[in-house]
Amino acid sequence: MTPIKLIIIFSLTLITTKILKLCFSAINARQNRKTAVGFFHPYTNDGGGGERVLWCAVKAIQEENPDLQCLVYTGDHDATPQSLFDRALDRFGVTLLSSPKVVHLYKRKWIEETTYPHFTMIGQSLGSMYLAWEALCKFTPSYYFDTSGYAFTYPLARLFGCKVICYTHYPTISTDMLSRVRQRSSMYNNDALVAKSIWLSQCKIIYYTIFSWLYGIVGSCAHLAMVNSSWTKAHIEKLWGVPDRIKRVYPPCDTSGLQVLPLERSVEIPVIISVAQFRPEKAHSLQLEAFSVAIKRLDSGLPKPKLQFVGSCRNKSDEDRLQMLKDKAIELNVNEQVEFHKNVTYKDLVGLLGGAVAGIHSMTDEHFGISVVEYMAAGAIPIAHNSAGPKMDIVLEEDGQQTGFLAFSIEEYADAIFRVIKMSETGRLQMAAAARKRASRFSEQKFSDDFKAAVRPILSRVSR
């Protein structure tokens, strides 16, 4: 037998052995799975709307079925049941009925975008399968609940015998992303080099088309998919092709705690607040440039407004992005009017919202926009991006009264900022009151009620 044939036989034997080993692991895990809900949320310290959904979902499950154990799969190695319980309360004002069990993951680097300089989506998606394998081998629950959007883990969870539930904030890929590539528009998810090249754009279209097909297959493995907005629902229904398993459940917004804040605000130095993680898609630079333009339009005798950036940093990339914003504020000569608040507590966030006359949001195709609802509930007039969630679900008229402003370009944002600052106190209070009433549609109680109604049929059937 030739050396080449020996190598081929050895390789095939090795691959077959590995596959059999994986299958036996899955079969063994299926037989030993526990009656519990495992929440797949690798980053439990990101401080965003996704983390709020996690804790509100855990609380809702605990209320719906107190005997059902809840656990969280996390890559944060310092996380403990008590620290997560405390974080839910301190950061989001959510009081869990009991501390969740913690399963630590050590393969999280495989879902980090820095691991994949190119083909990031498929890299992170395949990496999530590897991470989920680690999670499910360590603890196999009856219910696998993904709250972070890792759809490629769903077939794997089903292989382990789990009922798969997910709360999808944003489709990993959408027809809008494909349209931008076809139009060769440069954005955070479409590099300028690709946008300038016809050949590279065509290659990316093929890549996106194949990925969207795969995304549809894995997504259809969910037994129940909850989505957070009309925009997300339309995209997920089209991509996954299982409309009967998709329920729209608006995310939990802290409207009750914020609605007690007085609508009257000090206008000696008008404050405009921006609440968002320091991520590229949040487009903080646009807000800074629009603020600079608006200031230049003000009469010299009027007090200059203040812009407060409030957000969290997940990693060094976010820290670098925050520093770039600080440098840009100096470059635009508005640094004396701009403040940066990083990783603030929930209590401090409420205090900052209570002093703002307006809140600014600028992410294109924001799936929902929890921060926009928080602005409205707190009495800050929203200035939001004219797309997706804010446009379709949130900044709509209430009883015939305008509830805020929608903008797209720097000029439109600057114009909205200028109009809020120049608005009469009576006009501002009328709009703020209408916005607050509108925000009451997206409360934590509403989320809890709709969430429980969606999961109840699934939780009532435990397959052992």
Side-chain angles (χ1 to χ4, degrees), residues 27 52-53 97-98 106 133 156 163 169 176 231 246 273 286 288 311-312 318 324 355 359 361 366 402 411-412 441 454:
I27 292 170
R52 175 183 287 280
V53 166
L97 273 63
S98 61
Y106 295 90
W133 183 274
L156 187 63
K163 292 287 185 181
H169 303 268
D176 297 317
W231 182 88
I246 298 171
I273 194 170
L286 182 149
L288 207 51
S312 58
D318 288 355
M324 288 175 62
H361 157 280
E366 173 82 87
Q402 184 179 352
E411 286 298 322
E412 288 179 357
R441 298 170 180 263

Side-chain angles (χ1 to χ4, degrees), residues 135-152:
L136 292 167
C137 283
K138 286 185 173 180
F139 189 104
T140 308
S142 298
Y143 304 99
Y144 173 86
F145 202 138
D146 168 47
T147 48
S148 296
Y150 294 108
F152 276 69

Side-chain angles (χ1 to χ4, degrees), residues 125-264:
S125 297
L126 295 176
S128 70
M129 296 178 73
Y130 186 43
L131 188 64
W133 183 274
E134 178 193 6
L136 292 167
C137 283
K138 286 185 173 180
F139 189 104
T140 308
S142 298
Y143 304 99
Y144 173 86
F145 202 138
D146 168 47
T147 48
S148 296
Y150 294 108
F152 276 69
T153 65
Y154 304 167
L156 187 63
R158 291 194 72 151
L159 178 65
F160 276 76
C162 306
K163 292 287 185 181
V164 179
I165 307 172
C166 65
Y167 190 93
T168 303
H169 303 268
Y170 196 79
T172 304
I173 191 167
S174 66
T175 52
D176 297 317
M177 291 169 65
L178 273 165
S179 297
R180 290 190 197 106
V181 178
R182 289 194 178 99
Q183 295 165 6
R184 296 167 64 189
S185 301
S186 177
M187 276 190 71
Y188 63 89
N189 58 0
N190 192 38
D191 188 84
L193 179 64
V194 175
K196 291 177 182 177
S197 169
I198 296 176
W199 184 80
L200 288 177
S201 292
Q202 287 299 319
C203 289
K204 192 163 187 177
I205 288 171
I206 295 171
Y207 166 50
Y208 272 14
T209 301
I210 294 173
F211 184 86
S212 63
W213 176 70
L214 292 172
Y215 184 62
I217 292 174
V218 298
S220 66
C221 291
H223 292 90
L224 169 66
M226 286 173 278
V227 295
N228 67 343
S229 69
S230 301
W231 182 88
T232 304
K233 186 173 187 286
H235 281 279
I236 292 297
E237 284 183 346
K238 184 175 182 180
L239 288 163
W240 292 4
V242 287
D244 57 315
R245 288 183 245 156
I246 298 171
K247 308 293 182 184
R248 185 184 66 186
V249 178
Y250 287 127
C253 305
D254 182 25
T255 55
S256 59
L258 295 173
Q259 285 190 353
V260 299
L261 296 171
L263 290 178
E264 293 77 13

Side-chain angles (χ1 to χ4, degrees), residues 392-440:
M392 298 173 68
D393 292 313
I394 304 174
V395 190
L396 304 178
E397 287 190 354
E398 185 70 26
D399 297 332
Q401 172 69 48
Q402 184 179 352
T403 59
F405 299 93
L406 294 171
F408 185 81
S409 64
I410 290 175
E411 286 298 322
E412 288 179 357
Y413 274 98
D415 182 60
I417 292 171
F418 184 79
R419 289 173 67 182
V420 170
I421 294 171
K422 296 284 288 183
M423 193 179 292
S424 69
E425 182 66 4
T426 301
R428 189 192 68 77
L429 287 173
Q430 286 178 345
M431 188 176 292
R436 174 169 282 181
K437 185 176 180 182
R438 177 76 191 168
S440 64

Side-chain angles (χ1 to χ4, degrees), residues 296-349:
K296 292 174 182 175
R297 291 186 188 175
L298 293 173
D299 297 334
S300 58
L302 292 175
K304 290 185 178 180
K306 182 185 295 183
L307 175 60
Q308 295 176 334
F309 286 110
V310 184
S312 58
C313 291
R314 303 162 299 170
N315 47 41
K316 188 178 183 302
S317 295
D318 288 355
E319 295 281 0
D320 293 342
R321 202 168 290 114
L322 174 57
Q323 185 57 51
M324 288 175 62
L325 282 173
K326 293 178 179 179
D327 295 340
K328 191 173 184 67
I330 295 173
E331 178 187 326
L332 294 171
N333 198 31
V334 294
N335 53 300
E336 291 186 3
Q337 286 79 47
V338 178
E339 295 179 356
F340 296 91
H341 301 264
K342 186 181 75 170
N343 299 333
V344 303
T345 65
Y346 176 74
K347 180 180 179 181
D348 290 339
L349 174 62

